[in-house]
Amino acid sequence: MGLFSDKRAKEEKKTEDKQKFIERYKLGDFDEEEIEDMYKIYKATRFSGMQGLIEQNWMIITQLNRLNKNIEELKKK
């Protein structure tokens, strides 16, 4: 029974960590699949020495996504 409890705890921790990631980088506008891909990359590079550059890239990705949505809205008008 402890095995299943540990598995649930890991899943809950992963879900919580992923939610924090989404909130930290303001990725709520992205599709779930895109968020999952970005989260995997984030997890793989989180402990590298290039954390500052990675932080900057997340901000750029978020801004580009907003710009793209604004352009799409303007094209519809």
Side-chain angles (χ1 to χ4, degrees):
M1 188 147 180
L3 179 65
F4 296 113
S5 169
D6 291 341
K7 187 175 182 179
R8 276 191 219 127
K10 284 183 180 181
E11 287 296 320
E12 289 174 3
K13 186 177 185 313
K14 180 183 176 186
T15 302
E16 183 179 310
D17 191 36
K18 188 175 174 183
Q19 188 61 38
K20 286 180 183 178
F21 168 74
I22 292 168
E23 291 171 5
R24 181 177 186 182
Y25 296 108
K26 298 171 181 64
L27 302 174
D29 295 338
F30 288 88
D31 295 335
E32 185 63 33
E33 185 177 314
E34 292 172 329
I35 291 173
E36 186 64 33
D37 291 342
M38 287 188 276
Y39 182 69
K40 287 178 184 177
I41 293 168
Y42 169 76
K43 293 292 282 184
T45 59
R46 182 165 56 171
F47 298 109
S48 71
M50 299 174 26
Q51 189 62 31
L53 185 59
I54 293 167
E55 297 273 338
Q56 182 182 23
N57 286 343
W58 290 125
M59 286 186 254
I60 291 170
I61 288 169
T62 303
Q63 293 299 318
L64 288 173
N65 187 48
R66 286 184 188 158
L67 286 171
N68 190 39
K69 286 185 180 199
N70 289 339
I71 290 170
E72 291 297 322
E73 286 178 17
L74 286 173
K75 285 171 61 176
K76 290 178 184 178
K77 290 183 178 182

